[in-house]
Amino acid sequence: KNEVEQSPQNLTAQEGEFITINCSYSVGISALHWLQQHPGGGIVSLFMLSSGKKKHGRLIATINIQEKHSSLHITASHPRDSAVYICAADNTDKLIFGTGTRLQVFP
Amino acid sequence: GAVVSQHPSRVICKSGTSVKIECRSLDFQATTMFWYRQFPKQSLMLMATSNEGSKATYEQGVEKDKFLINHASLTLSTLTVTSAHPEDSSFYICSARLSGYEQYFGPGTRLTVT
């Protein structure tokens, strides 16, 4: 079993839909990161969470430390949101990556 | 936000040659930089952790003599792939730790060995 599990692996949505990507981890963490990787390959850091909830534009990230679970929500999804979303557990020494969720948003 | 650059963005080299990839933190000092490798449709794999002024810490299975890492300053780390072979063709990404747990990623370097 991977230390960081994401679901779903693939996700398709119509423009405007509300999207949720889930991440569960089994290791102790100092923080949890949500990353976005576009087809070109570059990675953008979306959020770094150690507790509670963060919001940036249409993106919301939550974390429940007791349940070792985090979610990334995208409201009013848009085709430009199409990318791979990766959660990564930060155990202070290094990041442990989930396998990613490939999101495609169609117009 | 903090910016990390990588150079080159793409490189093609012949088998047996060496290739150097640079990772720079442009507007902050990074005591720790990380090097990752990513194969198509797979997640990132940590290769090594690079601390300024000291030897890099390599992950299990990564050949330190093949992937040379130098972290000469607080804003620059380099990865040299020595005697490259086609199986070294991959996407190499660096990241730099700003403070606490903030980490910023470079845009990546696509290496193709022919």
Side-chain angles (χ1 to χ4, degrees):
Chain A
K1 192 175 189 294
N2 293 334
E3 293 173 302
V4 180
E5 299 262 3
Q6 277 185 246
S7 64
Q9 286 190 340
N10 295 284
L11 185 55
T12 57
Q14 287 294 125
E15 183 173 357
E17 284 185 12
F18 180 83
I19 287 162
T20 296
I21 300 170
N22 295 299
C23 176
S24 296
Y25 54 93
S26 57
V27 294
I29 66 167
S30 50
L32 186 115
H33 299 253
W34 280 101
L35 311 171
Q36 180 192 55
Q37 186 172 30
H38 277 283
I43 291 179
V44 174
S45 180
L46 298 175
F47 294 105
M48 184 187 68
L49 290 164
S50 53
S51 66
K53 176 179 174 178
K54 285 189 176 180
K55 184 175 189 294
H56 185 251
R58 293 180 295 106
L59 302 178
I60 302 166
T62 63
I63 189 167
N64 184 318
I65 298 293
Q66 286 72 31
E67 294 186 3
K68 295 193 171 186
H69 182 269
S70 176
S71 294
L72 176 68
H73 305 286
I74 305 176
T75 61
S77 60
H78 191 276
R80 65 174 174 266
D81 297 325
S82 298
V84 176
Y85 293 83
I86 304 167
C87 74
D90 191 332
N91 70 358
T92 306
D93 290 333
K94 62 184 180 183
L95 297 184
I96 304 167
F97 295 91
T99 51
T101 295
R102 188 172 300 273
L103 170 65
Q104 284 188 296
V105 182
F106 293 98
Chain B
V3 177
V4 175
S5 71
Q6 275 185 247
H7 178 80
S9 57
R10 288 178 177 271
V11 58
I12 301 172
C13 70
K14 292 189 176 179
S15 189
T17 61
S18 294
V19 173
K20 181 186 282 189
I21 302 169
E22 291 186 349
C23 176
R24 291 182 186 272
S25 56
L26 296 185
D27 49 1
F28 66 98
Q29 293 184 329
T31 53
T32 304
M33 289 184 172
F34 302 88
W35 286 97
Y36 301 92
R37 184 173 180 176
Q38 186 180 36
F39 290 107
K41 299 199 183 295
Q42 293 188 22
S43 194
L44 286 81
M45 182 193 81
L46 178 65
M47 299 175 67
T49 301
S50 168
N51 291 295
E52 185 266 338
S54 63
K55 289 184 179 179
T57 304
Y58 290 82
E59 294 298 297
Q60 194 172 12
V62 178
E63 299 174 60
K64 60 180 70 176
D65 293 331
K66 181 167 184 62
F67 298 100
L68 300 178
I69 291 171
N70 187 328
H71 195 155
S73 76
L74 287 171
T75 58
L76 173 64
S77 177
T78 60
L79 168 68
T80 301
V81 183
T82 62
S83 187
H85 288 281
E87 57 265 31
D88 298 324
S89 299
S90 190
F91 192 59
Y92 292 87
I93 304 172
C94 72
S95 71
R97 198 184 280 278
L98 173 56
S99 64
Y101 309 114
E102 291 181 78
Q103 201 166 141
Y104 295 90
F105 289 80
T109 296
R110 191 162 302 281
L111 169 64
T112 303
V113 184
T114 60

